[in-house]
Amino acid sequence: MLGGTPLAQAEVFKCTDADGRTVYTNDRALSRGCKVLDQSHGVSTVPAVVPRSTTGAQGAGQPGFPQVTPDAQRARDDSRRQVLESELSTEEQSLAEAQKALTDQEAVRMGDERNYQRVLDRLQPFKDKVELHQRNIEALKRELSGLR
């Protein structure tokens, strides 16, 4: 007995899987073809450590945890807003260019495109680019709306 807690004893099997890795188990169903380990020669098992539960955000309000002043946080938020607005502007310009390229390609009909599926296949990368920019714009707008 250690510290008043009785130790549990179980057979431990040493197995080698198909990839050559060594696996230890106490499950008899999985132990076919495995060797039983002699636990009197230093094989020990250690129970899992139970993490301490903390209330609230981890570290928040604890001594030594870094604190940010409201002015510093406001400056960070303003900087972040400027970056997001700049990215939004760039994405909107890219969307306009992608839509123009798609419109230009829709107006063109190649000689080898007698089958309409070939037209659709040729236009798909342009449509994908437009959708990508639209999704990016939606994501940036969501991010901006979440700022204080």
Side-chain angles (χ1 to χ4, degrees):
M1 283 182 132
L2 290 175
T5 306
L7 295 175
Q9 293 293 325
E11 284 186 314
V12 178
F13 301 92
K14 180 179 179 182
C15 309
T16 304
D17 66 6
D19 296 330
R21 293 179 295 226
T22 302
V23 179
Y24 296 93
T25 182
N26 64 347
D27 189 351
R28 284 192 177 277
L30 300 176
S31 66
R32 214 173 331 169
C34 301
K35 296 179 183 178
V36 176
L37 290 179
D38 182 9
Q39 293 184 351
S40 65
H41 289 94
V43 176
S44 64
T45 58
V46 178
V49 176
V50 179
R52 292 185 303 184
S53 63
T54 58
T55 56
Q58 185 172 354
Q62 293 180 358
F65 192 78
Q67 299 293 320
V68 178
T69 64
D71 291 337
Q73 186 62 48
R74 196 173 359 269
R76 289 179 185 178
D77 290 343
D78 290 343
S79 173
R80 183 169 179 219
R81 181 182 314 280
Q82 289 173 352
V83 169
L84 289 172
E85 287 173 349
S86 171
E87 288 180 11
L88 180 61
S89 173
T90 302
E91 278 298 322
E92 287 172 339
Q93 290 173 352
S94 298
L95 174 62
E97 292 170 7
Q99 286 173 330
K100 183 180 182 318
L102 175 61
T103 303
D104 292 346
Q105 287 298 314
E106 287 174 334
V108 174
R109 183 83 183 242
M110 305 288 185
D112 65 341
E113 294 178 335
R114 294 179 190 190
N115 182 344
Y116 190 65
Q117 185 60 44
R118 287 190 178 185
V119 174
L120 295 176
D121 292 343
R122 180 176 54 84
L123 294 177
Q124 192 59 47
F126 295 96
K127 291 178 181 178
D128 291 344
K129 200 169 197 177
V130 167
E131 289 176 14
L132 173 69
H133 291 299
Q134 288 173 336
R135 285 193 310 268
N136 289 345
I137 288 171
E138 290 170 8
L140 287 167
K141 286 181 178 180
R142 274 193 311 273
E143 192 78 21
L144 279 167
S145 70
L147 290 178
R148 295 178 224 150

